[in-house]
Amino acid sequence: ALQVGLPLPIKPAAGGGGKGMRIVREASSLAAEIERARSEGQRYFGDGRLYVERYIEQPRHIEVQVLGDSHGQVIHVFERECSVQRRFQKIVEESPSPALTEALRRSICETAAGIAKAADYQNAGTVEFIYGSGVFYFLEMNTRLQVEHPVTEAVTGLDLVREQLRIASGLPLSVSQADVSVRGHAIEFRLYAEDAASGFTPTTGPVHVLSMPTGEGVRVDAGIRQGQQVTSAFDPMIAKIIVSGKDREEVRRRADAALANAVLLGCKTNAGFLRRLLNHPAFIAGDVHTGFLDAHPEIAAEPDLPAVQLNAALAAASLLTQPIRRDAEAIPAMHAAMGAWRN
């Protein structure tokens, strides 16, 4: 750790999702943080091994999708940017990255494919990089399909699950590197059962009403159904909303409309937070990094509902209850026998 130099991140070797990861900036706290990270790694993953690496201030997180078969073919399927995170966990992923020039894109993608080929990799996988000031550094490789894989499917038209099944069956990939290209733009938003304004605290509750958005360029992968319960037994991610279009601005506008139509009653979600993020000037400009939300806490803060909107909501709610009350009334033929009593 001292050879790498401070500041540095300490990470459980078997970890994921940011669990157990900590940033050390002072040499005096190094030993204690190593012990804490080792303890968390053992508790979460049954593995106390750690690794350290150089820490880049305000970097972007860029990952490259790769595919390798048993016939010696390894290809990249271009990059995704996953810089908008909370607690080192991704919230928004998009492709292509607004930060890369064509030359950098070619370099980082070819590097990822080279890493996979050197390892004789056979599967779908993701090579992750930290990027800043025009330079990228290898971070880690996820040897599986990731949550954000639909973003890549949306811009390339390639079915990554189908390719995995071909690989597992001993078949060659259905495409070569020359066949893969990017068309348009796509962004994925993770719909979490959490309260962004309270430090992204997970929430629970019954799913009274669930209505997911539809429309051109909108795909929803949901893990919950109406009538179920959101509990603390699982990760708070309840759905992925993937939006695609001809360019980033079209996708951003479509996504805002899609998130406005994402309804889950009974459990608080981060849909409102995601809309505020989408409309933040820095996000619109593509100026994000892994510390973006810490730098802009106003995005997580929930605005007060204007009185006129609150009154309109209350009026609508009272009108909606009228048919329910009407249906609950006693049968008219019974009225005479009931005298003055009425439901």
Side-chain angles (χ1 to χ4, degrees):
L2 293 174
Q3 185 179 357
V4 171
L6 299 173
L8 56 78
I10 298 176
K11 305 170 73 174
K19 286 186 171 62
M21 180 175 168
R22 57 227 321 113
I23 307 300
V24 180
R25 299 181 181 276
E26 303 292 336
S28 58
S29 64
L30 181 58
E33 293 290 19
I34 286 173
E35 286 309 308
R36 288 193 189 97
R38 194 185 307 281
S39 173
E40 289 185 24
Q42 189 65 47
R43 185 166 71 251
Y44 285 127
F45 312 110
D47 190 338
R49 292 176 299 164
L50 308 172
Y51 68 89
V52 297
E53 61 197 3
R54 180 177 176 181
Y55 184 64
I56 310 298
E57 296 283 357
Q58 295 191 341
R60 301 177 84 114
H61 185 137
I62 296 176
E63 61 189 30
V64 179
Q65 180 75 60
V66 295
L67 293 167
D69 62 24
S70 57
H71 298 265
Q73 182 176 204
V74 176
I75 66 171
H76 70 75
V77 196
F78 292 94
E79 88 285 359
R80 299 183 288 258
E81 175 154 356
C82 312
S83 297
V84 180
Q85 306 177 3
R86 54 103 173 93
R87 295 194 298 273
F88 305 112
Q89 291 181 307
K90 303 163 187 173
I91 302 176
V92 177
E93 302 100 345
E94 64 180 300
S95 183
S97 166
L100 298 183
T101 63
E102 282 306 312
L104 265 170
R105 176 168 293 110
R106 185 167 55 252
S107 179
I108 198 170
C109 289
E110 289 177 356
T111 297
I115 289 171
K117 192 169 185 63
D120 190 26
Y121 187 70
Q122 297 174 25
N123 193 3
T126 309
V127 184
E128 304 199 357
F129 298 92
I130 289 295
Y131 171 76
S133 303
V135 183
F136 59 87
Y137 300 88
F138 172 75
L139 180 61
E140 62 188 12
M141 183 174 183
N142 278 297
T143 54
R144 54 180 171 81
L145 206 61
Q146 289 188 279
V147 172
E148 56 273 21
H149 78 272
V151 169
T152 296
E153 294 183 332
V155 295
T156 64
L158 194 63
D159 187 331
L160 296 178
V161 176
R162 180 176 180 270
E163 295 304 318
Q164 271 195 309
L165 293 172
R166 289 182 64 89
I167 294 166
S169 301
L171 298 171
L173 295 171
S174 68
V175 293
S176 66
Q177 189 65 71
D179 298 323
V180 183
S181 61
V182 170
R183 298 179 298 277
H185 201 93
I187 307 180
E188 176 181 293
F189 303 86
R190 300 191 184 195
L191 191 67
Y192 283 111
E194 67 181 17
D195 187 349
S198 299
F200 300 99
T201 306
T203 59
T204 60
V207 183
H208 293 307
V209 176
L210 180 67
S211 178
M212 288 290 104
T214 59
E216 185 178 0
V218 177
R219 165 180 168 177
V220 177
D221 293 357
I224 197 77
R225 290 180 179 158
Q226 190 165 302
Q228 290 183 322
Q229 290 272 339
V230 175
T231 74
S232 59
F234 301 98
D235 185 273
M237 186 173 64
I238 51 180
K240 305 181 298 185
I241 299 175
I242 305 100
V243 185
S244 57
K246 68 178 185 296
D247 56 39
R248 191 172 188 267
E249 181 57 20
E250 180 178 77
V251 171
R252 192 188 67 81
R253 292 178 183 277
R254 278 184 182 174
D256 191 41
L259 288 164
N261 288 310
V263 177
L264 193 159
L265 299 184
C267 176
K268 190 173 184 63
T269 74
N270 66 336
F273 157 78
L274 290 171
R275 292 191 69 197
R276 294 193 294 276
L277 168 66
L278 261 178
N279 290 288
H280 193 278
F283 183 86
I284 294 172
D287 184 17
V288 297
H289 52 82
T290 57
F292 178 73
L293 292 179
D294 291 332
H296 297 284
E298 71 277 8
I299 300 174
E302 196 158 298
D304 292 330
L305 191 67
V308 64
Q309 288 187 29
L310 183 60
N311 289 336
L314 290 170
S318 66
L319 288 171
L320 284 169
T321 60
Q322 283 189 4
I324 298 171
R325 289 200 300 270
R326 226 180 7 254
D327 292 344
E329 287 179 0
I331 298 170
M334 295 173 61
H335 285 179
M338 293 174 66
W341 293 99
R342 292 291 183 274
N343 183 350

